[in-house]
Amino acid sequence: MLLPLLLRPPLCLPQASVVLTRCVLTLRCGAPRGLRSQAKNFLWRWRPQRLHSRGRSRKTQSQEEEWRNRNKTALTYIAAAGVGMIGLAYAAVPLYRLYCQASGLGGTAVAGHDMEQVATMTPVKERVIKVTFNADTHASMQWNFRPQQTEIFVVPGETALAFYRAKNPTDKPIIGISTYNVVPFDAGQYFNKIQCFCFEEQRLNPHEEVDMPVFFYIDPEFDNDPRMARVDTITLSYTFFEAKEGQMLPLPGYSYS
């Protein structure tokens, strides 16, 4: 009865259990030599196969658990990177604006000044520069905004005062905020403003009109820069926007669509 079972195709688990039991009994009893040899061969083939299958199953489970841990780690890094990028996007505009004001990049006049330097700097009398003034308003801004003078002549190392005028012709109060730049852009690092109205909210009541001063000087080092050798005209431009929550002011030298 054992021989037909041994010669059958691969067995399912219940059938294999029966065959294994019979093989063990065959080996214990005094069965013919040929039948005992077949039983030994079957036990030899079956036991390694089962052990290998169990080992492979444990190995597969271990690999799956390892891959799950790796996926969790990768997702954590991706989420952290996403949060970091969002934070940098929000911080990029004010940080870039501060950098432009400190370095004059993008035609931005340098913010801040050293009063001791202003008091002791020596004007370069032989270098006369024409400073022109420009005024613009955003499409949604209802103010009238213009410079009080079209141009003035200054020399490096000499302070100068200019004025802009803004008027609210509407019947409602409007809060405005301005941005500015200097052309040519490379001259921005030498254009120092001691006092101005930029990046500060200005509230005008209905039909109110005000003058806004700009107190500035051009650094004497302007005359020593080879790039400024042929620059004899500098344009200072201001653009007013209506101050609204969440509104983003354009960066110097760039524009938003």
Side-chain angles (χ1 to χ4, degrees):
M1 295 178 64
L2 180 62
L3 185 59
L5 292 173
L6 295 176
L7 298 177
R8 289 181 58 182
L11 306 173
C12 62
L13 189 57
Q15 294 174 331
S17 299
V18 174
V19 175
L20 286 172
T21 302
R22 293 183 178 179
C23 287
V24 172
L25 292 174
T26 301
L27 293 175
R28 288 181 178 179
C29 301
R33 182 178 297 178
L35 192 56
R36 293 181 62 184
S37 177
Q38 291 178 1
K40 286 182 180 180
N41 290 337
F42 179 80
L43 289 175
W44 183 83
R45 291 196 307 268
W46 175 256
R47 291 185 63 186
Q49 181 180 358
R50 292 290 295 164
L51 292 174
H52 177 71
S53 176
R54 291 177 183 175
R56 182 173 57 186
S57 177
R58 293 197 189 104
K59 186 177 180 180
T60 302
Q61 291 177 357
S62 176
Q63 287 179 343
E64 288 178 355
E65 185 176 354
E66 183 180 355
W67 278 111
R68 288 195 196 98
N69 292 334
R70 289 185 179 179
N71 290 339
K72 289 179 181 179
T73 303
L75 289 174
T76 301
Y77 281 120
I78 292 172
V83 172
M85 291 177 67
I86 293 174
L88 287 175
Y90 278 102
V93 172
L95 290 176
Y96 181 77
R97 183 176 290 127
L98 290 174
Y99 174 71
C100 288
Q101 291 177 355
S103 64
L105 180 66
T108 305
V110 176
H113 56 280
D114 185 344
M115 290 303 299
E116 184 177 350
Q117 178 184 355
V118 173
T120 58
M121 62 185 179
T122 303
V124 185
K125 296 293 186 179
E126 63 274 11
R127 184 74 184 272
V128 179
I129 302 170
K130 180 172 70 173
V131 179
T132 61
F133 301 88
N134 181 64
D136 294 298
T137 56
H138 189 261
S140 63
M141 184 56 158
Q142 301 180 58
W143 283 6
N144 296 328
F145 180 56
R146 59 185 176 83
Q148 288 288 78
Q149 63 289 304
T150 57
E151 62 185 36
I152 60 174
F153 291 89
V154 300
V155 298
E158 181 181 68
T159 59
L161 181 64
F163 287 91
Y164 283 79
R165 176 166 294 180
K167 180 180 180 179
N168 177 11
T170 70
D171 296 326
K172 62 179 181 178
I174 297 177
I175 299 176
I177 188 169
S178 67
T179 183
Y180 63 90
N181 68 347
V182 173
V183 178
F185 288 164
D186 289 340
Q189 60 184 307
Y190 299 109
F191 199 101
N192 294 266
K193 292 183 300 170
I194 300 173
Q195 178 185 357
C196 79
F197 51 87
C198 50
F199 297 121
E200 295 180 358
E201 292 187 351
Q202 311 288 333
R203 177 188 173 93
L204 293 185
N205 293 319
H207 306 287
E208 183 180 3
E209 187 175 23
V210 296
D211 288 333
M212 300 178 176
V214 180
F215 192 31
F216 67 94
Y217 69 92
I218 297 175
D219 195 299
E221 291 298 320
F222 177 91
D223 189 52
N224 298 326
D225 191 339
R227 298 174 301 169
M228 302 292 106
R230 297 186 179 182
V231 176
D232 55 10
T233 300
I234 296 176
T235 300
L236 176 63
S237 297
Y238 281 90
T239 302
F240 254 106
F241 299 79
E242 184 174 357
K244 295 180 179 178
E245 184 177 357
Q247 178 153 4
M248 185 181 297
L249 293 180
L251 297 175
Y254 297 86
S255 61
Y256 294 106
S257 56

PDB file of all heavy atoms in Angstrom, residues 37-57:
ATOM      1  N   SER A  37      14.039   1.057   1.426  1.00  0.00           N
ATOM      2  CA  SER A  37      14.864   2.050   0.718  1.00  0.00           C
ATOM      3  C   SER A  37      14.012   3.192   0.175  1.00  0.00           C
ATOM      4  O   SER A  37      14.373   4.371   0.247  1.00  0.00           O
ATOM      5  CB  SER A  37      15.625   1.364  -0.419  1.00  0.00           C
ATOM      6  OG  SER A  37      16.364   2.311  -1.145  1.00  0.00           O
ATOM      7  N   GLN A  38      12.822   2.852  -0.393  1.00  0.00           N
ATOM      8  CA  GLN A  38      11.924   3.883  -0.910  1.00  0.00           C
ATOM      9  C   GLN A  38      11.437   4.794   0.217  1.00  0.00           C
ATOM     10  O   GLN A  38      11.328   6.018   0.054  1.00  0.00           O
ATOM     11  CB  GLN A  38      10.740   3.243  -1.621  1.00  0.00           C
ATOM     12  CG  GLN A  38      11.109   2.553  -2.926  1.00  0.00           C
ATOM     13  CD  GLN A  38       9.911   1.885  -3.568  1.00  0.00           C
ATOM     14  OE1 GLN A  38       8.812   1.964  -3.024  1.00  0.00           O
ATOM     15  NE2 GLN A  38      10.130   1.249  -4.705  1.00  0.00           N
ATOM     16  N   ALA A  39      11.140   4.191   1.385  1.00  0.00           N
ATOM     17  CA  ALA A  39      10.673   5.007   2.505  1.00  0.00           C
ATOM     18  C   ALA A  39      11.753   5.978   2.966  1.00  0.00           C
ATOM     19  O   ALA A  39      11.487   7.145   3.282  1.00  0.00           O
ATOM     20  CB  ALA A  39      10.242   4.081   3.644  1.00  0.00           C
ATOM     21  N   LYS A  40      13.022   5.478   3.040  1.00  0.00           N
ATOM     22  CA  LYS A  40      14.119   6.354   3.433  1.00  0.00           C
ATOM     23  C   LYS A  40      14.294   7.512   2.459  1.00  0.00           C
ATOM     24  O   LYS A  40      14.497   8.670   2.856  1.00  0.00           O
ATOM     25  CB  LYS A  40      15.414   5.552   3.519  1.00  0.00           C
ATOM     26  CG  LYS A  40      15.500   4.655   4.732  1.00  0.00           C
ATOM     27  CD  LYS A  40      16.845   3.950   4.746  1.00  0.00           C
ATOM     28  CE  LYS A  40      16.951   3.018   5.973  1.00  0.00           C
ATOM     29  NZ  LYS A  40      18.267   2.331   6.003  1.00  0.00           N
ATOM     30  N   ASN A  41      14.234   7.193   1.142  1.00  0.00           N
ATOM     31  CA  ASN A  41      14.374   8.254   0.129  1.00  0.00           C
ATOM     32  C   ASN A  41      13.278   9.312   0.252  1.00  0.00           C
ATOM     33  O   ASN A  41      13.515  10.519   0.125  1.00  0.00           O
ATOM     34  CB  ASN A  41      14.370   7.644  -1.271  1.00  0.00           C
ATOM     35  CG  ASN A  41      15.622   6.847  -1.553  1.00  0.00           C
ATOM     36  OD1 ASN A  41      16.672   7.069  -0.922  1.00  0.00           O
ATOM     37  ND2 ASN A  41      15.533   5.896  -2.485  1.00  0.00           N
ATOM     38  N   PHE A  42      12.055   8.838   0.498  1.00  0.00           N
ATOM     39  CA  PHE A  42      10.931   9.776   0.615  1.00  0.00           C
ATOM     40  C   PHE A  42      11.109  10.694   1.827  1.00  0.00           C
ATOM     41  O   PHE A  42      10.917  11.907   1.751  1.00  0.00           O
ATOM     42  CB  PHE A  42       9.622   9.008   0.737  1.00  0.00           C
ATOM     43  CG  PHE A  42       8.423   9.908   0.873  1.00  0.00           C
ATOM     44  CD1 PHE A  42       7.856  10.518  -0.241  1.00  0.00           C
ATOM     45  CD2 PHE A  42       7.889  10.167   2.121  1.00  0.00           C
ATOM     46  CE1 PHE A  42       6.780  11.354  -0.104  1.00  0.00           C
ATOM     47  CE2 PHE A  42       6.804  11.004   2.256  1.00  0.00           C
ATOM     48  CZ  PHE A  42       6.235  11.603   1.140  1.00  0.00           C
ATOM     49  N   LEU A  43      11.509  10.088   2.990  1.00  0.00           N
ATOM     50  CA  LEU A  43      11.726  10.896   4.184  1.00  0.00           C
ATOM     51  C   LEU A  43      12.871  11.894   3.974  1.00  0.00           C
ATOM     52  O   LEU A  43      12.813  13.039   4.430  1.00  0.00           O
ATOM     53  CB  LEU A  43      12.042   9.992   5.378  1.00  0.00           C
ATOM     54  CG  LEU A  43      10.877   9.153   5.918  1.00  0.00           C
ATOM     55  CD1 LEU A  43      11.358   8.216   7.000  1.00  0.00           C
ATOM     56  CD2 LEU A  43       9.778  10.063   6.449  1.00  0.00           C
ATOM     57  N   TRP A  44      13.884  11.462   3.255  1.00  0.00           N
ATOM     58  CA  TRP A  44      15.022  12.347   3.004  1.00  0.00           C
ATOM     59  C   TRP A  44      14.624  13.546   2.138  1.00  0.00           C
ATOM     60  O   TRP A  44      15.050  14.673   2.357  1.00  0.00           O
ATOM     61  CB  TRP A  44      16.126  11.534   2.334  1.00  0.00           C
ATOM     62  CG  TRP A  44      17.384  12.356   2.094  1.00  0.00           C
ATOM     63  CD1 TRP A  44      18.384  12.626   2.968  1.00  0.00           C
ATOM     64  CD2 TRP A  44      17.734  13.004   0.869  1.00  0.00           C
ATOM     65  NE1 TRP A  44      19.349  13.389   2.407  1.00  0.00           N
ATOM     66  CE2 TRP A  44      18.962  13.660   1.078  1.00  0.00           C
ATOM     67  CE3 TRP A  44      17.131  13.096  -0.387  1.00  0.00           C
ATOM     68  CZ2 TRP A  44      19.587  14.392   0.099  1.00  0.00           C
ATOM     69  CZ3 TRP A  44      17.769  13.829  -1.369  1.00  0.00           C
ATOM     70  CH2 TRP A  44      18.989  14.466  -1.114  1.00  0.00           C
ATOM     71  N   ARG A  45      13.766  13.267   1.101  1.00  0.00           N
ATOM     72  CA  ARG A  45      13.305  14.356   0.223  1.00  0.00           C
ATOM     73  C   ARG A  45      12.334  15.279   0.956  1.00  0.00           C
ATOM     74  O   ARG A  45      12.336  16.477   0.780  1.00  0.00           O
ATOM     75  CB  ARG A  45      12.648  13.776  -1.040  1.00  0.00           C
ATOM     76  CG  ARG A  45      13.619  13.097  -1.987  1.00  0.00           C
ATOM     77  CD  ARG A  45      12.981  12.919  -3.362  1.00  0.00           C
ATOM     78  NE  ARG A  45      11.690  12.256  -3.287  1.00  0.00           N
ATOM     79  CZ  ARG A  45      11.518  10.936  -3.395  1.00  0.00           C
ATOM     80  NH1 ARG A  45      12.585  10.155  -3.582  1.00  0.00           N
ATOM     81  NH2 ARG A  45      10.328  10.401  -3.324  1.00  0.00           N
ATOM     82  N   TRP A  46      11.436  14.738   1.771  1.00  0.00           N
ATOM     83  CA  TRP A  46      10.348  15.519   2.378  1.00  0.00           C
ATOM     84  C   TRP A  46      10.860  16.448   3.480  1.00  0.00           C
ATOM     85  O   TRP A  46      10.516  17.626   3.527  1.00  0.00           O
ATOM     86  CB  TRP A  46       9.302  14.558   2.929  1.00  0.00           C
ATOM     87  CG  TRP A  46       8.203  15.277   3.685  1.00  0.00           C
ATOM     88  CD1 TRP A  46       8.047  15.346   5.022  1.00  0.00           C
ATOM     89  CD2 TRP A  46       7.144  16.027   3.111  1.00  0.00           C
ATOM     90  NE1 TRP A  46       6.958  16.083   5.336  1.00  0.00           N
ATOM     91  CE2 TRP A  46       6.362  16.520   4.164  1.00  0.00           C
ATOM     92  CE3 TRP A  46       6.763  16.322   1.796  1.00  0.00           C
ATOM     93  CZ2 TRP A  46       5.234  17.290   3.970  1.00  0.00           C
ATOM     94  CZ3 TRP A  46       5.636  17.087   1.611  1.00  0.00           C
ATOM     95  CH2 TRP A  46       4.885  17.574   2.663  1.00  0.00           C
ATOM     96  N   ARG A  47      11.718  15.945   4.361  1.00  0.00           N
ATOM     97  CA  ARG A  47      12.149  16.746   5.506  1.00  0.00           C
ATOM     98  C   ARG A  47      12.930  17.997   5.111  1.00  0.00           C
ATOM     99  O   ARG A  47      12.610  19.088   5.570  1.00  0.00           O
ATOM    100  CB  ARG A  47      12.977  15.876   6.463  1.00  0.00           C
ATOM    101  CG  ARG A  47      12.137  14.817   7.170  1.00  0.00           C
ATOM    102  CD  ARG A  47      12.941  14.062   8.178  1.00  0.00           C
ATOM    103  NE  ARG A  47      13.398  14.973   9.241  1.00  0.00           N
ATOM    104  CZ  ARG A  47      14.220  14.601  10.197  1.00  0.00           C
ATOM    105  NH1 ARG A  47      14.716  13.356  10.213  1.00  0.00           N
ATOM    106  NH2 ARG A  47      14.573  15.458  11.128  1.00  0.00           N
ATOM    107  N   PRO A  48      13.912  17.907   4.226  1.00  0.00           N
ATOM    108  CA  PRO A  48      14.603  19.137   3.798  1.00  0.00           C
ATOM    109  C   PRO A  48      13.663  20.128   3.142  1.00  0.00           C
ATOM    110  O   PRO A  48      13.786  21.325   3.303  1.00  0.00           O
ATOM    111  CB  PRO A  48      15.668  18.639   2.833  1.00  0.00           C
ATOM    112  CG  PRO A  48      15.900  17.224   3.247  1.00  0.00           C
ATOM    113  CD  PRO A  48      14.577  16.726   3.698  1.00  0.00           C
ATOM    114  N   GLN A  49      12.685  19.610   2.320  1.00  0.00           N
ATOM    115  CA  GLN A  49      11.748  20.491   1.637  1.00  0.00           C
ATOM    116  C   GLN A  49      10.926  21.281   2.640  1.00  0.00           C
ATOM    117  O   GLN A  49      10.730  22.480   2.522  1.00  0.00           O
ATOM    118  CB  GLN A  49      10.837  19.678   0.719  1.00  0.00           C
ATOM    119  CG  GLN A  49       9.838  20.542  -0.061  1.00  0.00           C
ATOM    120  CD  GLN A  49       8.972  19.703  -0.958  1.00  0.00           C
ATOM    121  OE1 GLN A  49       9.128  18.495  -1.032  1.00  0.00           O
ATOM    122  NE2 GLN A  49       8.066  20.354  -1.643  1.00  0.00           N
ATOM    123  N   ARG A  50      10.438  20.628   3.702  1.00  0.00           N
ATOM    124  CA  ARG A  50       9.625  21.304   4.702  1.00  0.00           C
ATOM    125  C   ARG A  50      10.462  22.326   5.478  1.00  0.00           C
ATOM    126  O   ARG A  50      10.019  23.432   5.750  1.00  0.00           O
ATOM    127  CB  ARG A  50       9.045  20.272   5.677  1.00  0.00           C
ATOM    128  CG  ARG A  50       8.014  19.332   5.054  1.00  0.00           C
ATOM    129  CD  ARG A  50       6.745  20.097   4.745  1.00  0.00           C
ATOM    130  NE  ARG A  50       6.129  20.577   5.980  1.00  0.00           N
ATOM    131  CZ  ARG A  50       5.203  21.502   6.024  1.00  0.00           C
ATOM    132  NH1 ARG A  50       4.818  22.118   4.919  1.00  0.00           N
ATOM    133  NH2 ARG A  50       4.670  21.866   7.184  1.00  0.00           N
ATOM    134  N   LEU A  51      11.695  21.921   5.837  1.00  0.00           N
ATOM    135  CA  LEU A  51      12.542  22.841   6.571  1.00  0.00           C
ATOM    136  C   LEU A  51      12.896  24.061   5.736  1.00  0.00           C
ATOM    137  O   LEU A  51      12.894  25.192   6.225  1.00  0.00           O
ATOM    138  CB  LEU A  51      13.827  22.126   7.027  1.00  0.00           C
ATOM    139  CG  LEU A  51      13.638  21.032   8.093  1.00  0.00           C
ATOM    140  CD1 LEU A  51      14.949  20.315   8.325  1.00  0.00           C
ATOM    141  CD2 LEU A  51      13.094  21.633   9.387  1.00  0.00           C
ATOM    142  N   HIS A  52      13.171  23.803   4.447  1.00  0.00           N
ATOM    143  CA  HIS A  52      13.498  24.918   3.549  1.00  0.00           C
ATOM    144  C   HIS A  52      12.314  25.856   3.393  1.00  0.00           C
ATOM    145  O   HIS A  52      12.460  27.081   3.365  1.00  0.00           O
ATOM    146  CB  HIS A  52      13.942  24.357   2.188  1.00  0.00           C
ATOM    147  CG  HIS A  52      14.231  25.452   1.190  1.00  0.00           C
ATOM    148  ND1 HIS A  52      15.328  26.264   1.297  1.00  0.00           N
ATOM    149  CD2 HIS A  52      13.537  25.851   0.097  1.00  0.00           C
ATOM    150  CE1 HIS A  52      15.329  27.118   0.305  1.00  0.00           C
ATOM    151  NE2 HIS A  52      14.250  26.889  -0.440  1.00  0.00           N
ATOM    152  N   SER A  53      11.128  25.269   3.282  1.00  0.00           N
ATOM    153  CA  SER A  53       9.910  26.087   3.128  1.00  0.00           C
ATOM    154  C   SER A  53       9.691  26.958   4.357  1.00  0.00           C
ATOM    155  O   SER A  53       9.365  28.132   4.251  1.00  0.00           O
ATOM    156  CB  SER A  53       8.705  25.178   2.891  1.00  0.00           C
ATOM    157  OG  SER A  53       7.510  25.926   2.837  1.00  0.00           O
ATOM    158  N   ARG A  54       9.898  26.365   5.572  1.00  0.00           N
ATOM    159  CA  ARG A  54       9.722  27.146   6.783  1.00  0.00           C
ATOM    160  C   ARG A  54      10.769  28.251   6.890  1.00  0.00           C
ATOM    161  O   ARG A  54      10.472  29.386   7.270  1.00  0.00           O
ATOM    162  CB  ARG A  54       9.808  26.231   8.004  1.00  0.00           C
ATOM    163  CG  ARG A  54       8.620  25.280   8.137  1.00  0.00           C
ATOM    164  CD  ARG A  54       8.814  24.353   9.325  1.00  0.00           C
ATOM    165  NE  ARG A  54       7.724  23.396   9.439  1.00  0.00           N
ATOM    166  CZ  ARG A  54       7.681  22.415  10.327  1.00  0.00           C
ATOM    167  NH1 ARG A  54       8.701  22.254  11.174  1.00  0.00           N
ATOM    168  NH2 ARG A  54       6.641  21.590  10.364  1.00  0.00           N
ATOM    169  N   GLY A  55      12.009  27.922   6.535  1.00  0.00           N
ATOM    170  CA  GLY A  55      13.066  28.931   6.580  1.00  0.00           C
ATOM    171  C   GLY A  55      12.801  30.064   5.604  1.00  0.00           C
ATOM    172  O   GLY A  55      13.003  31.232   5.904  1.00  0.00           O
ATOM    173  N   ARG A  56      12.306  29.671   4.414  1.00  0.00           N
ATOM    174  CA  ARG A  56      12.006  30.702   3.414  1.00  0.00           C
ATOM    175  C   ARG A  56      10.864  31.583   3.879  1.00  0.00           C
ATOM    176  O   ARG A  56      10.854  32.797   3.667  1.00  0.00           O
ATOM    177  CB  ARG A  56      11.674  30.042   2.071  1.00  0.00           C
ATOM    178  CG  ARG A  56      11.402  31.052   0.953  1.00  0.00           C
ATOM    179  CD  ARG A  56      11.263  30.342  -0.369  1.00  0.00           C
ATOM    180  NE  ARG A  56      10.201  29.347  -0.292  1.00  0.00           N
ATOM    181  CZ  ARG A  56       9.941  28.478  -1.282  1.00  0.00           C
ATOM    182  NH1 ARG A  56      10.691  28.469  -2.391  1.00  0.00           N
ATOM    183  NH2 ARG A  56       8.967  27.604  -1.160  1.00  0.00           N
ATOM    184  N   SER A  57       9.884  31.015   4.549  1.00  0.00           N
ATOM    185  CA  SER A  57       8.757  31.796   5.052  1.00  0.00           C
ATOM    186  C   SER A  57       9.221  32.802   6.102  1.00  0.00           C
ATOM    187  O   SER A  57       8.826  33.960   6.087  1.00  0.00           O
ATOM    188  CB  SER A  57       7.706  30.860   5.638  1.00  0.00           C
ATOM    189  OG  SER A  57       6.642  31.595   6.199  1.00  0.00           O
TER     190      SER A  57
END
